[in-house]
Amino acid sequence: GGSKAASLHWTGERAVSVLLLGLLPAAYLCPGPAVDYSLAAALTLHGHWGLGQVITDYVHGDVPVKAANAGLYVLSALTFAGLCHFNYHDVGICKAVAMLWSL
């Protein structure tokens, strides 16, 4: 039960980390909407899981943990929505980073 779920979660975290390593050169070599939206999803998920571990390590007590987790879900949803909005209505993640590097 719980052990298998934890193992699958750990495997998913590693897979997203490896995916991000592949998306970075892809963003440079072939920027476009597919890479932009993949980055939006992978970065949001990576950040969500990372901040979830911070909550697990540093937030104690039933009510504070529930509040922190609820806040994390809201933050993650807003992050993903914001990145998707940026990809759709503006230049996108790849082009934005390229523009920053060209400064």
Side-chain angles (χ1 to χ4, degrees), residues 14-63:
R14 301 292 96 45
V16 168
S17 295
V18 169
L19 175 68
L20 279 170
L21 285 173
L23 281 172
L24 294 177
Y28 179 75
L29 296 172
C30 53
V35 177
D36 283 336
Y37 286 101
S38 297
L39 277 169
L43 288 170
T44 302
L45 190 55
H46 185 73
H48 178 82
W49 282 338
L51 289 173
Q53 283 306 122
V54 171
I55 291 170
T56 299
D57 290 345
Y58 295 106
V59 179
H60 304 290
D62 215 21
V63 172

